[in-house]
Each structure stands twice: as C-alpha cells, then as structure tokens.
C-alpha cells in the first residue's frame, strides 16, 4: 500500500517515529480490510504531532482529508461538515474542541458523537497529552480512540541527526570551553560591600557552585568526551527528547557557526505562583497555544476573575519567563516546558 | 541478682552529683533542639514536594520518638552508668510508679506511640477528633495538634484514640473527598441541574479525578424540593473549603442563568441521606 520510497522519505523527515508510523499504517490497513479503530496521537507541545500527521497525509495524498484546529472552537456549528468523499479524516489539535468551564464540553461531545456515528470513516486525531489525560478522566474519550499513539522522546543520536539535518557536514563547530578538571566545584567568593560608606574592608562571603563541574562529577563525564557529545547529551536531557524544545535550546545556545559547552550551564529558576496563576499556566500548557481572549473567556467563568487580574497573572508568567506572547497567542516557553510540567505535576494540576 | 541490681541502682542514684545532672540536662536540651531541627527540616522538605508531603510528614513523629528514646537511653546508660538488666528493672519500677501517679500522662504517651505505629492518622490528615475537625499539624508524645478551618490551634490528648472514634478524611493521601449539597425547586429541570453541577465540579481548578477517585453526582427527592449531592476529590486537602465554595458559586451562577431556582421551602438537615 505504501511504497518503500515513501517510507524512506518519512524516516528522513520524522525522526524516531518509526513505530508510531507503523502503528498508524497498520490501523489504516485494518480499516481498508474492514476493521475500524480510530487513532489518537498524543504529545506535549513542540513534540511533532502535526509533523507526524503531515507525513501520513504525504503517504496517502488521495485518501486523506486533514482539518487543523488552530484556536478554540466554541460553537458546534464550527465543526467542519464532512461532505468530503475521503474515508480517512485527520483532525489536528483536537484539544481545541473543549474549554474547561461549565458548558465547555458541548463541542467535543458533538465531535465524539460524530466519530461514533460515522462507521464508514477512520478518524486520526492529535491531542495535547495533558488535555487528553483530563478529557479521558472526565469524558472517557479513550473509548472513542482505541489506538493511542504516544510520540516518543528522541535519544541523543536521533537528536543529533535531527538538529544537524539543517546544516552541511562540518558547518557547525563544537567548542569545549569548560576545562572541568582544573575547575573547583565549590568556591568561596569574597565581595567587598559598602566600601564607599564605611571606607573600611567589609567583605561578604558567598559559596559559588560550578554546575558544569558538578554535573561532570555526578554524571561521570569523561574528560576525553567530545564537545559535540557533551552538547547533544545536555540538549537531549534538558529537552527530554522533545525535538521542538531541543531546537529552541539549540537556537539559543548556537552562536553561528559555533556552539560551546559552557552554554549548557543554564540557570534553573523556581516557579512561584498562586493558585490562580498555576491554573493559568496549566491552561496554557494543556492548550499548547491559546489566545488572550480565549483564556479570558475560560478564566472569567471558571475562576471568576476580571480582565485586570488576568493581565496581572499573564504579566507574572511572562516576567518569570515561563510563557511566550506572540501575536495575541500565549504558549509555554519551550525551554521551560518540562520545568512547568514538573511543577504542575507536583501540585497535581497535571494528572 | 535482682536485689543486687536494685542496690546498684540505688548506689548509682546516690552518686548523682551536679556534673551528672548537668550532663543529663545538656542531653535533654540537645534532644529537644535536635527534635526541633529534624521537625523543621522534614516539614520544609515535605512542603517542597506536594505529592509526597504526607509521606514525609509521617516520619516526623517517628523521628521524635526515636530521638527522645535515644536521649533517655543515653542518660541512663552513659550518665548514670546502668547496665541493661538495671535499665529493664528501672523501667519496670518507673512504669509501676507512673502507673499510679501519672496515669493520664502516660496513657497519652502510650496512645501517641500507638498513633505513630498504627498510623491511625498522620501529620497532614484531616481528622475529626472528639468535637474538633481540622488538619493534623503535629503528633506530639502527649497530644495531637489540629488546625481547625477557623485557624484555631486545638490540642487534643492522644488518648482520645482509645476512648473515641477518630475519623480521617484522607488517610494519608494528599487528596480527599469533599461533598457538597445543593437544593433546587421541585419542578426544576433535574437533568440539566445535574449536568451543570457535574461540569462545575470537573472544571474546578481544585478537583482531582482518577479511576479510583471519580466524580459522583447524586439526586435525592424530598417532599418540597430536590437535593443534589456532588462527591469529588480535592487535589490538596487544604483546599477542601475553597473547592466547595468554588463549585457552589459557579453552579448557582449557571443555575440562575438557566432558570433553576432554590426551593422556597425550609430545608431540613438531611445528614447523609443522599447516599
């Protein structure tokens, strides 16, 4: 059904997703053989779920109709009518079909009803994993999509291949500028204070921790390890194998055409938010991208907070570098994605 | 043999001098400080991890018992230089003496040990002890300290576990069930009301839902009105009351929008009749 050439091209474009593509292909083959099992593709923001379904579209260009939701659908009438003759329907970003507020499930219930009632079509859907987990516990949506495909994390080798695919061989120079052998892990730093006022020698002593050297000691990094290996290991670790997040970190660290190991010494800051701020962070995480107006619509009803309060909360999230604002859309800052997930898991807003 | 031990104990106690008293005093002070430091550190660490908060807090009373027991052992064995046999004998004598004189105090201490060992309730649990309801802040050797919803600190003697039933709302888990009742007019659209109440619960920012922690909405029919009861788990037991308030507020806002009104009849307190 799918040519080898087509499969090869997919392998080159979608890194580390061979098993997921095979699972989707099997579901499509089963559907053609008469057995329908709808598919849900689940992933965190930036993980590449849309890229995965794009490859499926490329593999079945004449059999598939793809619908992408790019903002919250708050009216049943906005669900596209399925007049198309194609039997395979792909709905990208289905987490935009609900809102976490009273009356916010009508659209998704209508959509699920449509999925259930049309036996002659195969539905391939993509979801933000946190919205999916929520909806699965609230509405039991797992029953509608028996095949659930989780997008896996890339390993260090795949990550290297993915990140370097945009460059020629040898174009990027990896520099090891942290000679960890000679550096002390702990250093007492002396800082003179109030010299102008006291005219005396009053010093403040503080303990400085060299994180790179500490990491080296803890993770037994060998001195002979190449700069390239160190950088890709760090990027994979910080991004937890999420290609979108890794790309953002790569772009941040890259001083074209040089990337240095000292860039891996990034500071982690604690997240401090009140209960409403946490909920706003959760809403942004579970939607991936959300407009200010949509956020206001949900929060006005679910938290009874006014516009001024929402602006304050968004300002707080922006000032803590947790979210990005782009063209009225808010999203979690890629490099802070896993810190935010961990924080929300810890306080059990993410299940 | 026992007689020799008694004589030896008496001799040891006769030999108590200011140095021995001072050494014992220093050990007691040290044990108190150590206990405070350990409690402070474990509380700090547990507050950093919401998920494992209650598990970590369980260690606090255990560590206190251990520290005080070690301090007592050290005083008797090292300062008063008593042998193991003499220690056993002395503890028997002390037990008998306090059995008559300080019965209540030692009943509380025994109950404290039982609470720690049996985990009747743990630090962080929401419990009903006697007339008091609140979060367990500390399980001391003599008393358990509760913080009530009105932020009063109540010190309840540990021996209540021997004489009264103690109800723990969460039993060591971070989440706990919260129930709330809403009463509506008899001719209101019950299906719509139940749907709204369920949605108010599942969309609350304080709710926790899992296969073993489901949301349940029940209906009860009374002569002059209908009663809805929602049962759900709040993700952190400290938010129990905020959760109830949040759900009630949003439910009534939606009820008024959709024409569902509260009953005009006087509502009788039905307790747990809705299930």
């Amino acid at each position: 059904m799918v040519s080898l050439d087509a499969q090869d091209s997919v392998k080159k474009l979608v890194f580390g997703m061979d098993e997921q593509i095979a699972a989707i292909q099997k579901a499509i083959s089963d559907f053609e053989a008469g057995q329908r099992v709808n598919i849900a593709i689940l992933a965190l923001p930036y993980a590449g779920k849309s890229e995965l379904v794009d490859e499926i579209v490329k593999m079945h260009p004449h059999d598939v109709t793809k619908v992408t939701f790019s903002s919250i659908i708050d009216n049943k009438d906005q669900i596209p009518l399925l007049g198309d003759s194609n039997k395979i329907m792909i709905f990208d970003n289905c987490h935009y079909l609900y809102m976490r507020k009273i009356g916010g499930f009508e659209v998704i219930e209508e959509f699920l009803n449509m999925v259930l009632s049309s036996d002659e079509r195969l539905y391939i859907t993509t979801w933000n994993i946190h919205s999916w987990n929520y909806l699965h516990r609230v509405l039991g949506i797992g029953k509608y999509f028996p095949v659930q495909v989780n997008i896996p994390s890339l390993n260090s080798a795949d990550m290297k291949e993915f990140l370097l695919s945009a460059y020629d061989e040898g174009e990027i120079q990896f520099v090891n500028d942290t000679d960890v052998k000679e550096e002390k892990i702990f250093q007492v730093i002396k800082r003179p204070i109030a010299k102008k006022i006291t005219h005396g020698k009053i010093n403040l002593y503080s303990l400085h921790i060299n994180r790179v050297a500490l990491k080296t000691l803890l993770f037994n990094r060998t001195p002979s390890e190449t700069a390239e290996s160190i950088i890709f290991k760090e990027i994979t670790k910080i991004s937890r194998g999420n290609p979108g997040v890794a790309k953002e970190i790569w772009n941040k660290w890259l001083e074209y055409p040089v990337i240095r190991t000292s860039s891996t010494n990034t500071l982690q800051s604690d997240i401090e938010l009140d209960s409403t701020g946490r909920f706003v962070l959760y809403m942004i995480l579970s939607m991936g991208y959300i407009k200010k107006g949509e956020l206001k619509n949900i929060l006005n009803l679910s938290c009874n907070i006014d516009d001024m309060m929402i602006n304050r909360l968004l300002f707080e999230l922006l000032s803590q570098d947790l979210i990005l604002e782009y063209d009225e859309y808010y999203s979690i800052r890629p490099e802070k994605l896993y810190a935010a997930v961990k924080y929300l898991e810890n306080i059990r807003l993410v299940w | 043999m026992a007689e020799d031990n008694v004589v030896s104990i008496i001799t040891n106690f006769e030999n108590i001098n200011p140095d021995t008293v001072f050494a014992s005093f220093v050990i007691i002070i040290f044990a108190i400080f150590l206990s405070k430091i350990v409690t402070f550190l474990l509380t700090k660490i547990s507050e950093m991890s919401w998920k494992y908060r209650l598990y970590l807090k369980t260690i606090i009373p255990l560590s206190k018992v251990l520290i005080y027991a070690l301090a007592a052992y050290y005083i008797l064995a090292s300062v008063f230089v008593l042998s193991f046999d003499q220690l056993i004998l002395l503890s028997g004598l002390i037990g008998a003496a306090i059995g008559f004189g300080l019965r209540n105090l030692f009943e509380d201490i025994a109950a404290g040990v039982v609470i720690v060992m049996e985990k009747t309730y743990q630090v962080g649990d929401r419990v009903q002890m006697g007339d008091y309801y609140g979060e367990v802040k500390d399980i001391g050797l003599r008393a358990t300290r509760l913080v009530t919803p009105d932020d009063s600190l109540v010190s309840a003697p540990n021996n209540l576990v021997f004489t009264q039933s103690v109800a723990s709302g969460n039993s060591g888990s971070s989440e706990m069930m919260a129930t709330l009742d809403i009463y509506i007019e008899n001719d209101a659209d019950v299906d719509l009301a139940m749907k709204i109440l369920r949605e108010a619960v599942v969309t609350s920012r304080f709710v926790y839902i899992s296969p073993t922690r489901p949301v349940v909405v029940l209906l009860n029919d009374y002569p002059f009105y209908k009663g809805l009861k929602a049962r759900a788990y709040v993700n952190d037991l400290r938010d129990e009351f905020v959760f109830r308030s949040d759900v009630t507020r949003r439910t009534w806002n939606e009820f008024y929008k959709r024409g569902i009104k509260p009953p005009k009849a006087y509502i009788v307190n039905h307790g747990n009749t809705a299930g």
Side-chain angles (χ1 to χ4, degrees):
Chain A
M1 197 181 68
V2 182
S3 71
L4 282 174
D5 288 348
Q7 280 183 333
D8 283 344
S9 72
V10 166
K11 274 180 190 170
K12 279 172 200 162
L13 291 166
V14 186
F15 291 88
M17 295 192 197
D18 300 350
E19 279 179 32
Q20 288 63 38
I21 289 170
I24 296 166
Q25 291 289 67
K26 186 179 179 302
I28 292 173
S29 305
D30 289 348
F31 172 64
E32 285 168 351
Q35 190 194 355
R36 187 177 79 125
V37 275
N38 294 322
I39 303 165
I41 299 167
L42 318 173
L44 271 171
Y46 311 107
K49 54 185 184 301
S50 298
E51 286 75 5
L52 178 61
V53 289
D54 284 345
E55 292 312 313
I56 300 297
V57 174
K58 279 182 194 165
M59 292 163 87
H60 303 272
H62 307 297
D63 306 323
V64 171
T65 300
K66 186 186 166 200
V67 176
T68 301
F69 301 115
S70 52
S71 58
I72 289 176
I73 308 294
D74 57 2
N75 193 325
K76 286 190 274 192
D77 301 333
Q78 290 174 9
I79 300 176
L81 293 171
L82 303 177
D84 209 301
S85 60
N86 282 337
K87 297 286 184 192
I88 303 171
M89 298 298 301
I90 295 181
F91 285 95
D92 195 12
N93 296 332
C94 289
H95 47 271
Y96 283 131
L97 295 173
Y98 87 104
M99 280 187 277
R100 191 162 167 170
K101 65 172 192 175
I102 297 174
F105 300 103
E106 282 179 9
V107 176
I108 197 159
E109 280 169 348
E110 183 70 19
F111 176 74
L112 294 174
N113 193 34
M114 182 181 83
V115 169
L116 210 61
S117 58
S118 53
D119 287 339
E120 73 285 0
R121 284 199 163 98
L122 176 71
Y123 288 88
I124 300 173
T125 53
T126 73
W127 306 77
N128 174 300
I129 195 157
H130 295 303
S131 281
W132 171 272
N133 287 341
Y134 172 73
L135 290 168
H136 184 51
R137 294 190 189 190
V138 171
L139 300 176
I141 53 170
K143 286 178 281 185
Y144 298 85
F145 303 96
V147 176
Q148 287 146 32
V149 176
N150 280 286
I151 293 192
S153 305
L154 295 187
N155 60 33
S156 188
D158 282 338
M159 190 61 83
K160 179 182 165 185
E161 196 183 341
F162 166 70
L163 291 173
L164 291 181
S165 62
Y167 307 97
D168 293 331
E169 202 176 332
E171 187 180 342
I172 301 297
Q173 295 163 30
F174 297 89
V175 176
N176 190 348
D177 59 344
T178 49
D179 191 357
V180 290
K181 262 182 100 180
E182 289 175 11
E183 282 187 30
K184 287 178 183 171
I185 294 170
F186 299 103
Q187 264 184 312
V188 178
I189 294 174
K190 188 169 74 174
R191 287 195 185 91
I193 52 161
K195 213 172 180 178
K196 281 181 186 169
I197 305 166
T198 61
H199 302 287
K201 286 181 183 174
I202 300 172
N203 296 313
L204 187 71
Y205 293 90
S206 67
L207 187 70
H208 173 75
I209 301 169
N210 185 334
R211 286 163 190 264
V212 177
L214 187 62
K215 274 184 201 168
T216 308
L217 184 77
L218 291 174
F219 302 109
N220 200 21
R221 190 186 288 163
T222 55
S224 58
E225 196 169 6
T226 62
E228 190 177 318
S229 166
I230 293 168
I231 287 166
F232 284 116
K233 263 189 193 171
E234 281 301 312
I235 288 183
T236 311
K237 201 177 83 191
I238 296 170
S239 67
R240 315 261 176 105
N242 183 323
V245 174
K247 188 81 182 166
E248 288 296 324
I249 296 168
W250 170 268
N251 290 338
K252 210 172 173 185
W253 289 357
L254 182 71
E255 294 161 26
Y256 184 83
V258 175
I259 187 160
R260 300 169 202 281
T261 51
S262 57
S263 310
T264 63
N265 190 13
T266 48
L267 289 172
Q268 298 288 328
S269 52
D270 290 334
I271 301 173
E272 281 180 24
L273 299 167
D274 63 12
S275 72
T276 321
R278 291 169 196 151
F279 190 65
V280 174
L281 184 67
Y282 165 78
M283 284 313 306
I284 297 172
L285 174 74
S286 63
M287 286 294 161
Y289 295 88
I290 189 164
K291 281 182 191 168
K292 195 173 186 174
E294 294 168 342
L295 204 53
K296 280 180 182 175
N297 187 9
I298 296 168
L299 294 171
N300 277 336
L301 290 165
S302 63
C303 301
N304 194 30
I305 56 177
D306 56 21
D307 287 3
M308 197 176 148
M309 176 78 156
I310 291 170
N311 287 335
R312 185 188 68 75
L313 292 167
L314 287 171
F315 174 76
E316 203 177 332
L317 292 172
L318 283 165
S319 58
Q320 286 194 37
D321 276 344
L322 288 168
I323 60 169
L324 286 170
E325 184 185 7
Y326 179 72
D327 201 18
E328 287 226 346
Y329 274 93
Y330 291 87
S331 62
I332 300 279
R333 207 171 253 282
E335 65 272 25
K336 292 291 175 74
L337 179 68
Y338 283 96
V341 171
K342 204 175 163 192
Y343 173 73
L344 294 171
E345 270 176 356
N346 211 16
I347 56 172
R348 313 217 303 178
L349 261 177
V350 159
W351 305 328
Chain B
M1 181 66 184
E3 200 176 318
D4 290 345
N5 278 330
V6 173
V7 171
S8 175
I9 291 171
I10 292 166
T11 315
N12 280 337
F13 276 90
E14 278 174 351
N15 290 337
I16 292 175
N17 55 36
D19 288 348
T20 324
V21 174
F22 180 73
S24 307
F25 184 71
V26 168
I27 291 168
I28 291 166
I29 297 290
F30 179 72
I32 292 169
F33 266 106
L34 187 65
S35 158
K36 295 269 179 207
I37 290 167
V38 169
T39 306
F40 174 78
L41 287 176
L42 285 172
T43 309
K44 274 275 169 199
I45 295 167
S46 64
E47 290 298 330
M48 283 158 71
S49 168
W50 284 38
K51 208 173 177 180
Y52 303 107
R53 189 181 75 220
L54 298 188
Y55 298 111
L56 288 167
K57 283 194 172 175
T58 314
I59 309 168
I60 295 173
L62 274 173
S63 61
K64 276 187 187 173
V65 168
L66 194 69
I67 290 166
Y68 287 128
L70 280 174
Y73 174 78
Y74 191 75
I75 290 168
L76 293 171
S78 301
V79 181
F80 291 101
V81 205
L82 298 181
S83 70
F84 184 72
D85 287 348
Q86 288 167 343
L87 276 174
I88 299 287
L89 189 64
L90 184 67
S91 50
L93 287 172
I94 291 171
I98 58 184
F100 292 108
L102 298 166
R103 192 173 66 84
N104 283 344
L105 175 69
F106 278 83
E107 198 175 82
D108 286 341
I109 292 174
V113 175
V114 169
I115 292 164
V116 170
M117 295 301 170
E118 273 194 359
K119 292 186 180 174
T120 317
Y121 50 81
Q122 301 166 30
V123 175
D125 279 7
R126 285 257 167 165
V127 297
Q128 176 83 49
M129 279 183 88
D131 295 334
Y132 296 104
Y133 175 74
E135 183 183 336
V136 177
K137 276 285 165 193
D138 180 41
I139 302 172
L141 281 180
R142 195 195 65 74
T144 295
R145 284 180 193 83
L146 302 176
V147 174
T148 66
D150 301 327
D151 208 27
S152 303
L153 187 68
V154 175
S155 196
N158 286 336
N159 72 35
L160 279 179
V161 292
F162 293 144
T163 55
Q164 295 193 23
S165 56
V166 177
S168 175
N170 57 311
S171 183
S173 306
S174 299
E175 72 275 7
M176 72 171 284
M177 185 189 272
T179 58
L180 64 99
D181 296 288
I182 285 184
Y183 299 96
I184 55 173
E185 272 187 334
N186 228 344
D187 55 354
D189 183 343
V190 169
D191 291 332
L192 178 64
M194 288 178 80
K195 187 174 185 285
I196 291 169
L197 178 56
R198 188 174 191 280
E199 288 188 359
V201 172
V202 300
T203 57
S204 170
R205 62 188 192 273
F206 304 107
V207 77
Y208 176 75
I209 309 170
S210 78
T212 54
R213 303 278 190 257
V215 171
V216 179
V217 176
L218 301 164
L219 171 71
N220 251 6
D221 194 12
Y222 299 108
F224 304 107
Y225 48 84
K226 288 188 167 64
L228 304 179
K229 183 185 277 283
R231 284 180 180 167
Y233 286 81
V234 58
N235 61 13
D236 186 332
L237 53 91
R238 289 172 183 174
D239 294 328
E240 179 194 353
F241 300 103
V242 208
F243 171 70
R244 284 186 185 159
S245 162
D246 172 61
V247 173
T248 308
R249 176 184 58 76
R250 291 186 302 117
T251 302
W252 274 115
N253 282 347
E254 195 66 19
F255 276 5
Y256 280 119
K257 273 188 213 164
R258 309 292 281 265
I260 299 170
K261 291 176 185 162
K264 292 182 184 80
Y266 171 74
I267 295 166
V268 180
N269 184 7
H270 297 284
N272 289 325
T273 50

